[in-house]
């Protein structure tokens, strides 16, 4: 994992960055693809979420700076025309979705030309079901703008969407079971988990997996991370005490 460092290169434009990515990187934009334009503004559109096959290669190619020291964080910054553009660089094997699903997302990606530039995005079917998964399993509630987006994505994929929990999980569960996708605990501890909805998915089929095992793993990893933080604080405290002793002796 790349350590926190200064951004080494400034891209002339967002289109120049994506041209380089199109030529040398296996990636796709995950959500809000309509925001990716030559006029992209972090202040208006926030960050850009992408899925890549190889995160290390992506970071090197994009000249991305890792923002957080925690290994599981995927938040990076890229300098574009004097503006810092934030990216979430997710990768195959990080359990944001299960590994097979992440790999399928990249295998079925499509190159589009929108907003004055070319970039890779998910195919309509993947765009719909990955957003469905994100909205209902990784969020605690359905934000107001999501149903409208899901209706649009469903239409492009030739699928019907209705914002009814029972129907959503029957549809999502069937899709995951058919494609042999399973719910996996995300390595990124910042990703939310909707336990109630995960239970509903589990009851609809095999897609949800053993939620009790998943929850136990989540709690264990969270406690482990807190333990690591506590150890780091103790180490820092010890170093400060040693320095104070030296200063007091002078």
């Amino acid at each position: 994992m790349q350590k926190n460092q200064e951004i080494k290169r400034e891209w002339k434009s967002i289109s120049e960055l994506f041209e380089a990515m199109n030529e040398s990187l296996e990636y796709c934009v995950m959500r809000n693809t309509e925001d990716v334009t030559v006029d992209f503004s972090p202040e208006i559109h926030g960050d850009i979420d992408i899925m890549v096959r190889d995160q290390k290669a992506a970071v090197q190619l994009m000249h991305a700076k890792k923002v957080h020291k925690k290994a599981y964080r995927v938040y990076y910054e890229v300098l574009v025309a004097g503006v810092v553009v934030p990216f979430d660089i997710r990768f195959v094997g990080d359990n944001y979705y299960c590994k097979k699903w992440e790999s399928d997302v990249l295998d079925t990606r499509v190159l589009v030309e929108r907003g004055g530039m070319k970039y890779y995005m998910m195919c309509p079917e993947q765009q719909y079901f990955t957003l469905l998964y994100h909205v209902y399993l990784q969020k605690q509630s359905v934000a107001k703008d999501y149903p409208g987006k899901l209706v649009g994505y469903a239409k492009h994929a030739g699928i019907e969407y209705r914002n009814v929990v029972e129907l959503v999980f029957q549809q999502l569960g069937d899709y995951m079971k058919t494609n042999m996708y399973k719910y996996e605990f995300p390595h990124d501890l910042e990703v939310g988990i909707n336990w109630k909805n995960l239970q509903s998915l589990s009851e609809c089929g095999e897609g949800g997996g053993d939620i009790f095992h998943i929850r136990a793993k989540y709690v264990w990893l969270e406690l482990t991370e807190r333990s690591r933080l506590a150890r780091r604080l103790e180490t820092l405290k010890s170093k400060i005490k040693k320095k104070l002793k030296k200063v007091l002796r002078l």
Side-chain angles (χ1 to χ4, degrees):
M1 184 68 68
Q2 180 176 327
K3 294 181 180 179
N4 197 356
Q5 61 182 32
E6 293 301 317
I7 301 174
K8 294 182 179 179
R9 172 177 174 176
E10 178 178 354
W11 299 90
K12 294 178 182 178
S13 64
I14 193 76
S15 56
E16 182 190 44
L17 169 60
F18 272 90
E19 282 172 12
M21 291 166 64
N22 293 341
E23 290 178 3
S24 308
L25 188 65
E26 194 173 4
Y27 81 95
C28 72
V29 177
M30 295 173 63
R31 283 187 294 277
N32 300 325
T33 52
E34 61 276 7
D35 294 336
V36 182
T37 72
V38 291
D39 299 317
F40 180 86
S41 169
E43 292 183 358
I44 299 173
H45 305 111
D47 60 2
I48 300 176
D49 289 2
I50 62 173
M51 173 69 65
V52 301
R53 186 79 63 183
D54 184 335
Q55 190 191 48
K56 184 177 179 180
V59 169
Q60 290 177 343
L61 175 75
M62 298 168 67
H63 299 281
K65 171 190 171 184
K66 185 172 174 61
V67 177
H68 301 282
K69 292 183 179 180
K70 292 180 179 179
Y72 61 80
R73 296 299 299 273
V74 298
Y75 189 78
Y76 289 80
E77 292 179 341
V78 179
L79 191 59
V80 179
V83 177
V84 173
V85 177
F87 277 83
D88 276 354
I89 307 178
R90 303 198 180 278
F91 59 95
V92 174
D94 69 355
N95 282 2
Y96 190 72
Y97 308 113
C98 72
K99 189 173 183 179
K100 183 180 185 303
W101 198 346
E102 291 174 334
S103 185
D104 286 351
V105 161
L106 291 174
D107 288 341
T108 58
R109 66 188 180 137
V110 293
L111 182 64
V112 298
E113 186 169 1
R114 296 179 177 177
M117 55 187 287
K118 292 182 179 180
Y119 57 90
Y120 283 95
M121 59 176 281
M122 297 182 187
C123 70
E125 182 181 276
Q126 292 286 14
Q127 191 175 42
Y128 172 69
F129 280 106
T130 55
L131 184 60
L132 201 67
Y133 181 101
H134 174 67
V135 170
Y136 288 91
L137 295 183
Q138 295 177 339
K139 298 290 184 181
Q140 298 307 312
S141 60
V142 181
K144 292 180 180 179
D145 60 329
Y146 279 130
K149 288 183 179 181
L150 284 165
V151 168
Y153 292 164
K155 185 177 180 180
H156 285 297
I159 301 168
E160 182 183 3
Y161 164 75
R162 291 174 61 190
N163 188 15
V164 179
V165 174
E166 293 79 11
L167 296 178
V168 164
F169 286 112
Q170 189 61 58
Q171 186 182 55
L172 182 59
D174 289 346
Y175 178 76
M176 292 177 69
K177 187 174 182 179
T178 299
N179 290 281
M180 295 183 290
Y181 299 155
K182 291 187 176 181
Y183 180 88
E184 295 283 0
F185 168 78
H187 292 171
D188 185 350
L189 298 181
E190 300 298 318
V191 177
I193 299 176
N194 190 316
W195 296 108
K196 181 180 179 181
N197 286 351
L198 187 55
Q199 175 70 61
S200 299
L201 176 66
S202 183
E203 291 170 354
C204 287
E206 297 179 2
D210 182 353
I211 75 161
F212 299 105
H213 171 71
I214 293 168
R215 185 161 194 167
K217 186 176 180 182
Y218 173 78
V219 172
W220 171 252
L221 286 176
E222 186 177 36
L223 289 173
T224 300
E225 180 60 29
R226 288 180 181 178
S227 177
R228 287 174 185 162
L229 177 60
R231 285 200 298 273
R232 287 197 294 269
L233 288 174
E234 284 300 319
T235 301
L236 181 62
K237 192 170 161 186
S238 177
K239 288 181 179 179
I240 292 173
K241 281 183 177 180
K242 287 180 181 179
K243 286 184 179 180
L244 282 173
K245 285 181 179 179
K246 286 183 179 180
V247 171
L248 290 173
R249 285 177 190 151
L250 295 175

